[in-house]
Amino acid sequence: MSAHSISQPSLTLWAPIVAFAVIAVGILDAVSTNAGLLAGAVEINPLMVYAQETLGPWWVLPKIGLQLFVAAIVLMRPARMVFACVSLAVLVNAVVVMNNFALAGAL
């Protein structure tokens, strides 16, 4: 399979928008998680608990790093399957963000 058949030029215009959504929702996730933690909520993701315990206030770096990695994949491989998977992940993450803010009493 050639690189041209993987990357779809018609999706190239949408790639920056999807990549921005990945990063924006990822940042909002970190902000809403901190808001929830300050309000007394607890982190239920064991990987994030580990990051918070070992990295302290720098726990957001692996979270944002992953978002940047996913955004780079979207920009480098604008394909329907990539867009579908990443868009679903952004949607689920946006629901988590709304829940975090609701738990923090910010909504």
Side-chain angles (χ1 to χ4, degrees):
M1 184 176 281
S2 71
H4 179 69
S5 64
I6 294 172
S7 219
Q8 298 169 6
S10 63
L11 297 176
T12 302
L13 297 173
W14 288 98
I17 296 167
V18 174
F20 175 79
V22 168
I23 294 167
V25 171
I27 290 170
L28 286 172
D29 186 24
V31 169
S32 67
T33 297
N34 277 336
L37 293 172
L38 288 172
V42 294
E43 177 63 64
I44 60 170
N45 180 340
L47 292 175
M48 287 298 104
V49 170
Y50 177 76
Q52 290 167 353
E53 290 172 352
T54 58
L55 300 175
W58 299 102
W59 72 269
V60 298
L61 292 180
K63 179 181 275 290
I64 300 303
L66 178 61
Q67 303 296 331
L68 292 172
F69 177 73
V70 171
I73 291 172
V74 167
L75 291 171
M76 291 187 299
R77 292 286 187 205
R80 282 189 181 98
M81 185 58 75
V82 171
F83 275 36
C85 293
V86 170
S87 296
L88 180 61
V90 168
L91 177 64
V92 169
N93 203 7
V95 170
V96 169
V97 167
M98 290 173 36
N99 184 60
N100 287 348
F101 279 131
L103 288 173
L107 290 181

